[in-house]
Every structure is written in structure tokens, then in C-alpha cells.
């Protein structure tokens, strides 16, 4: 029986990333408030937010300091922009902090309001820079199958997932996708992680040679693939990729939108996986998601090209109204201060063994073929048969079913393509809360197994 609020939702909203036909039947889960790692629906039921919202509420819910800093900034200067050389203190202070903590040498910061627009900026900068450098053919960008970089026209093109391309007339020409580095699913039988990594790097090398190195401008990758399945890279992967990119003068864009600010147990995933990135995209945990804000971090070389170009053509013609919003920047400065003061990274490293132990133990369950993670992010994959890694028919939605059982048990998780489920709780989660999270999911898994059996899905 749908509540009045649920009916009003159905009457009025188009939900992003939702099966719109199913939504009309089942209605929304309406959340009302949150505290720590818990959120509460309108009936008062509690849920552990096992996905930190959308991989973003790193400091959990109802953080008073963040709320207060936003309120103070709203009272003092609720808006000013950065166009035409305008500026404000929070934007400057945040850029200084980002330069200080960046994992690679960074010269300047360009703000946006979402991860998608940050990656669109990256694409436009690459094109603009190569025109400025007199190499107008060097424009192609290589991304990865199952990579996720957002939904605006260029960033959806970078994204390597069918749902973001089908019937949207994407990807744009000149955006290519190389193989997905998911060892469990795509390695050949008996192939070690190192050999798999070397094979993928050789494939990238061949792709660049085939396209022509003078036409390939950049490569973009998430340190840990998020929406593509919460997949950690195989051993030696980024070291092998670094070498290929350096060989052909291909710019390396690290999409740190999920991994930035502690998620992997380092401040940036770039450090965890030794990525030789030239530029970075950040968002989400930059403000612990208390305000929409993104940042593109560029090196001196890219910046100098932009300045030279301005000398020739005048205005750098890119930017949006809310880029570097003073409230967002003030919240981000406070968020970074809290990460440092409360030693968030040390905390992540302290609870990581518990998280990984409970996560990897899920692979003992008869339906789970793989369970793997790093820091406080991980993914599991449902299989019909562990030995052959055979999967259930995608339309049966086994992973999705497990997340709806999890919801019954008071746990929010996200089912992803490939029959996978992602785990990405707020970074402030305690060991006891990690146990509670996995206890709830184990109960959901037991219900999933009963359901799979009752539906006869194991047969054949
Ligand atoms: C790695 C990565 N890049 C980019 C994006 C896009 O960010 P947004 O949804 O803020 O546009 C996301 C969103 O989940 C992401 O995970």
C-alpha cells in the first residue's frame, strides 16, 4: 500500500537511474533524516547507508560542523562567481589545500558542480590544449569498458556502460574504450593478475598504434571502478598502463570522484595504485556531499598552455555559474580540515581489515563468486556456478533482489551490472557498525538463496 507521499512522488518525479516502469508499481523509498552511518525513512525505520549515499557521504549524516559552516557562509556571502576574475576567500583557501594534498604536482584548480562536469572539463581542456599546441589531430580519448565518468554528453561518452549509450546516440566520435581490468571476470584461465595486467597494457599499446599516436590525446581511469562493479585493479595494472601512456605522450586523467579523500586508505587512489596522473577530477567526498562541488586539478604544463592561449585569443571561454560556489568551497575547506583533524585516513586503515575480512568472507556463500575490495570500498559478484563462474540471466536480477532483501533488513546497498553489489559505507564507520552491516547483508543473502531456489534459478 503506497503512502500519500509515495503517490505524490509517482505523480511528479522522473527519477535518475531508475526503472521508470517498475517505479510506478513499487514506488519510492522516502528517507527523512540521517545520523552517523544511519538513515531513517518516513516510518522511522533505520538503515545502514552501506553506499554512503552515492559513494559520497564520507563523514556520515548530520555533521553539525558542516551544517554550521554552510549556514555561516550562506549568511555572509551566499553567492559570488569566479567569472571575469572575481574571487572569494573559500575558493582560494580550498585551492591551496587541494594543491597541498594532491598526489601529484598540481598547479591550479578549476571548479565545477558535479563529477560529470569535471570530466567534461577534462575533455574540453584536452581538446583546447592540443589545438593551442598546434597538434589538432591529437584529440582522441581512451577510456575503459565499464569505466564510469558521468552522464553529460562528453563524460557519458567516456563512461563504458551500455545503459549510458543505448538510444542516447553516444559515445561521441573520438572516444574509444579499451578492456575492463576485472581479473575475476575477464582473465584467461590460469592467467595471473600480473600477466592479465601486461596483456591489457599491450592491448592499449596496440590500440594507440592502430589509431596513430599523433591522434591519441588522453587516457582516463578511475583507480577503483565504481559504477562498473566496484572493481579493484589487478596487480601491476597501473604500472603497466603508466609505461604505455608515457611512451606515446598521452595525458593521464585520474578520475578520483569516488576514490578521492581517503576511500582507498590513502588520500587519493592515485597513490594507492601508483598512477602517474597528469590531471585529476574530484567531487563527492570533497564536501562529504553536503554541497555539490567538483574540482579539476591541472599541472603547470596544462596551465601554461591555457595562459598562452588567452594571450592569443582572450577569454578562456569555459565555466558555469555554480563553479566554485562559496558555500560549497567553505564546506569543502571544513571537510578537509575534519579529515586531517580526525585522522580519517588512519581510521580507514584501522577498520579496513575488519571490512575486508567480512567482505571477503561473503565469497564462502554458495551464490558469491568474487568478493574483493580495498580501504572501505568493495564489490561482490553473484554466480550460478562457482567453478565455471557461470552467471544467472541478467534479467533475473539476482544482485538487485539481494539489495531489496537488504533493504528489508535495514541496509542500503547498490546493485550494479554484471550481477554485482557494491559496498562503500561512510568513512567514519566503526568496526561494530561494519559487523552490523555485514550481519544484515548475510541475512539478506540467506533470503536471496531461498528465493533463487524457489524460483528454480539454479537448474540448467
Ligand atoms: C568515478 C566517477 N566519475 C564521475 C562521476 C559523475 O559524478 P556526478 O554524478 O556528480 O556527475 C561519478 C558518479 O558516481 C563517478 O563515480
Amino acid at each position: 500500500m503506497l503512502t500519500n507521499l509515495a503517490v505524490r512522488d509517482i505523480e511528479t518525479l522522473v527519477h535518475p537511474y531508475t526503472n521508470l516502469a517498475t517505479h510506478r508499481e513499487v514506488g519510492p523509498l522516502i528517507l527523512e533524516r540521517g545520523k552517523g552511518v544511519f538513515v531513517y525513512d518516513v516510518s522511522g525505520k533505520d538503515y545502514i547507508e552501506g553506499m554512503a549515499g552515492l559513494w559520497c557521504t564520507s563523514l556520515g549524516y548530520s555533521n553539525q560542523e558542516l551544517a554550521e559552516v554552510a549556514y555561516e557562509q550562506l549568511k555572509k556571502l551566499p553567492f559570488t562567481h569566479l567569472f571575469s576574475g572575481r574571487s572569494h576567500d573559500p575558493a582560494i583557501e580550498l585551492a591551496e589545500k587541494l594543491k597541498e594534498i594532491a598526489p601529484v604536482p598540481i598547479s591550479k584548480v578549476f571548479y565545477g558542480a558535479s563529477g560529470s562536469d569535471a570530466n567534461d572539463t577534462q575533455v574540453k581542456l584536452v581538446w583546447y590544449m592540443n589545438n593551442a599546441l598546434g597538434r589538432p589531430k591529437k584529440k582522441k580519448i581512451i577510456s575503459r569498458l565499464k569505466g564510469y565518468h558521468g552522464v553529460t554528453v562528453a563524460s557519458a561518452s567516456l563512461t563504458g556502460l551500455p545503459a549510458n549509450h543505448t538510444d542516447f546516440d553516444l559515445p561521441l566520435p573520438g572516444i574509444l574504450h579499451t578492456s575492463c581490468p576485472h581479473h575475476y571476470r575477464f582473465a584467461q584461465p590460469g592467467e595471473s593478475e600480473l600477466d592479465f595486467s601486461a596483456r591489457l597494457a599491450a592491448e592499449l599499446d596496440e590500440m594507440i598504434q592502430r589509431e596513430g599516436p599523433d591522434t591519441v590525446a588522453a587516457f582516463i581511469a578511475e583507480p577503483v571502478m565504481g559504477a562498473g562493479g566496484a572493481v579493484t585493479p589487478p596487480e601491476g595494472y597501473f604500472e603497466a598502463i603508466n609505461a604505455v601512456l608515457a611512451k606515446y605522450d598521452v595525458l593521464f586523467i585520474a578520475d578520483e570522484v569516488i576514490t578521492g579523500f581517503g576511500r582507498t586508505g590513502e588520500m587519493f587512489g592515485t597513490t594507492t595504485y601508483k598512477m602517474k596522473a597528469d590531471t585529476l577530477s574530484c567531487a563527492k567526498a570533497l564536501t562529504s556531499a553536503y554541497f555539490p562541488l567538483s574540482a579539476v586539478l591541472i599541472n603547470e604544463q596544462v596551465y601554461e598552455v591555457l595562459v598562452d592561449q588567452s594571450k592569443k585569443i582572450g577569454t578562456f571561454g569555459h565555466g558555469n555559474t555554480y563553479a566554485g560556489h562559496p558555500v560549497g568551497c567553505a564546506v569543502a575547506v571544513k571537510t578537509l580540515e575534519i579529515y586531517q583533524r580526525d585522522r580519517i585516513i588512519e581510521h580507514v586503515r584501522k577498520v579496513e581489515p575488519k571490512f575486508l575480512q567480512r567482505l571477503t568472507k561473503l565469497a564462502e556463500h554458495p551464490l558469491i563468486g568474487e568478493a574483493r575490495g580495498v580501504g572501505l570500498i568493495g564489490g561482490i559478484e553473484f554466480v550460478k556456478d562457482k567453478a565455471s563462474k557461470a552467471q544467472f540471466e541478467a534479467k533475473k536480477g539476482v544482485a538487485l533482489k539481494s539489495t531489496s532483501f537488504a533493504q528489508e533488513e535495514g541496509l542500503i546497498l547498490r546493485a550494479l551490472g554484471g550481477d554485482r553489489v557494491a559496498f562503500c559505507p561512510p568513512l567514519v564507520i566503526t568496526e561494530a557498525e561494519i559487523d552490523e552491516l555485514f550481519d544484515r547483508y548475510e541475512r539478506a543473502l540467506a533470503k536471496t538463496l531461498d528465493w533463487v531456489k524457489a524460483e528454480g534459478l539454479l537448474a540448467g
Side-chain angles (χ1 to χ4, degrees):
M1 180 65 187
L2 294 173
T3 62
N4 181 31
L5 201 53
V7 172
R8 284 165 53 206
D9 170 284
I10 292 168
E11 293 295 323
T12 52
L13 296 181
V14 175
H15 283 265
Y17 278 107
T18 298
N19 182 321
L20 300 177
T22 311
H23 184 73
R24 293 209 306 205
E25 310 302 321
V26 300
L29 166 66
I30 307 179
L31 299 176
E32 194 173 59
R33 65 193 173 87
K35 186 144 189 58
V37 301
F38 288 89
V39 289
Y40 300 83
D41 70 17
V42 280
S43 74
K45 175 174 170 173
D46 68 79
Y47 303 83
I48 295 180
E49 227 320 346
M51 274 300 293
L54 285 171
W55 334 79
C56 53
T57 52
S58 47
L59 292 175
Y61 293 79
S62 299
N63 183 300
Q64 288 308 303
E65 286 181 283
L66 296 184
E68 275 158 26
V69 84
Y71 183 53
E72 289 308 318
Q73 186 60 45
L74 279 166
K75 284 192 292 184
K76 192 167 148 196
L77 183 66
F79 180 75
T80 184
H81 57 82
L82 300 176
F83 284 33
S84 317
R86 298 267 184 92
S87 200
H88 53 82
D89 193 333
I92 299 165
E93 194 180 344
L94 178 60
E96 285 171 352
K97 286 217 153 108
L98 287 171
K99 283 181 65 172
E100 212 179 282
I101 62 173
V104 290
I106 286 303
S107 171
K108 302 288 178 290
V109 175
F110 184 86
Y111 293 118
S114 72
S116 296
D117 79 47
N119 287 328
D120 259 49
T121 292
Q122 295 275 18
V123 170
K124 288 179 74 180
L125 288 182
V126 165
W127 292 342
Y128 191 77
M129 182 178 81
N130 282 322
N131 285 328
L133 289 172
R135 30 190 220 193
K137 274 168 61 192
K138 202 168 172 73
K139 296 286 171 55
K140 291 175 190 161
I141 302 183
I142 302 179
S143 175
R144 300 171 309 164
L145 292 169
K146 289 183 178 266
Y148 189 81
H149 303 290
V151 294
T152 45
V153 173
S155 65
S157 298
L158 297 173
T159 292
L161 295 167
N164 297 94
H165 295 165
T166 309
D167 291 346
F168 286 113
D169 292 356
L170 295 174
L172 291 174
I175 298 200
L176 315 167
H177 295 89
T178 188
S179 294
C180 170
H182 183 195
H183 181 265
Y184 172 79
R185 185 50 53 199
F186 300 117
Q188 285 160 358
E191 191 177 33
S192 72
E193 290 196 29
L194 277 173
D195 287 347
F196 178 58
S197 294
R199 176 160 66 83
L200 294 197
E203 222 178 83
L204 177 65
D205 195 312
E206 277 160 33
M207 182 183 247
I208 296 174
Q209 287 201 38
R210 197 170 56 243
E211 296 291 327
D214 58 335
T215 72
V216 179
F219 173 81
I220 184 166
E222 307 151 82
V224 176
M225 296 180 111
V231 173
T232 53
E235 196 186 345
Y237 174 74
F238 281 113
E239 286 95 326
I241 296 291
N242 287 334
V244 176
L245 302 181
K247 194 163 137 194
Y248 299 110
D249 186 22
V250 172
L251 192 94
F252 193 171
I253 304 166
D255 184 342
E256 290 268 8
V257 166
I258 287 178
T259 44
F261 314 104
R263 178 57 63 188
T264 62
E266 295 278 357
M267 190 52 102
F268 290 93
T270 295
T271 308
T272 309
Y273 295 112
K274 304 185 176 63
M275 295 160 68
K276 293 207 171 126
D278 297 292
T279 69
L280 278 80
S281 296
C282 305
K284 297 191 188 272
L286 174 57
T287 59
S288 188
Y290 279 48
F291 202 90
L293 184 74
S294 62
V296 170
L297 278 51
I298 60 172
N299 64 20
E300 183 64 17
Q301 206 189 347
V302 176
Y303 175 65
E304 281 304 328
V305 176
L306 300 184
V307 173
D308 284 347
Q309 191 70 345
S310 256
K311 284 181 195 155
K312 277 189 251 157
I313 63 172
T315 297
F316 170 58
H318 179 62
N320 58 53
T321 305
Y322 299 123
H325 195 289
V327 179
C329 290
V331 170
V333 167
K334 180 54 85 179
T335 304
L336 299 187
E337 196 183 302
I338 296 173
Y339 291 154
Q340 203 166 22
R341 185 196 67 202
D342 296 355
R343 299 170 190 271
I344 287 294
I345 291 177
E346 277 173 44
H347 173 76
V348 173
R349 288 191 193 145
K350 188 172 138 273
V351 301
E352 178 185 28
K354 164 68 78 183
F355 177 76
L356 294 182
Q357 179 249 321
R358 291 294 307 256
L359 178 79
T360 52
K361 192 165 164 280
L362 295 178
E364 291 168 15
H365 188 275
L367 294 178
I368 306 299
E370 187 199 29
R372 171 166 161 147
V374 64
L376 280 174
I377 182 168
I380 60 169
E381 185 160 322
F382 280 83
V383 287
K384 194 167 159 178
D385 178 66
K386 287 198 186 207
S388 67
K389 301 183 187 174
Q391 296 192 283
F392 293 101
E393 249 185 289
K395 69 170 192 272
K396 301 291 180 201
V398 178
L400 185 65
K401 193 73 185 172
S402 85
T403 58
S404 65
F405 285 131
Q407 197 170 303
E408 277 177 20
E409 294 295 329
L411 170 63
I412 294 179
L413 292 175
R414 182 147 173 234
L416 302 167
D419 238 0
R420 294 180 66 85
V421 172
F423 296 76
C424 186
L427 301 183
V428 293
I429 195 166
T430 63
E431 287 191 354
E433 288 164 343
I434 289 172
D435 272 327
E436 183 59 28
L437 184 161
F438 285 101
D439 289 349
R440 290 183 187 196
Y441 192 61
E442 282 174 4
R443 293 199 291 274
L445 267 183
K447 287 185 180 175
T448 310
L449 183 58
D450 289 346
W451 174 80
V452 161
K453 285 179 180 160
E455 294 286 311
L457 300 185
L458 288 169

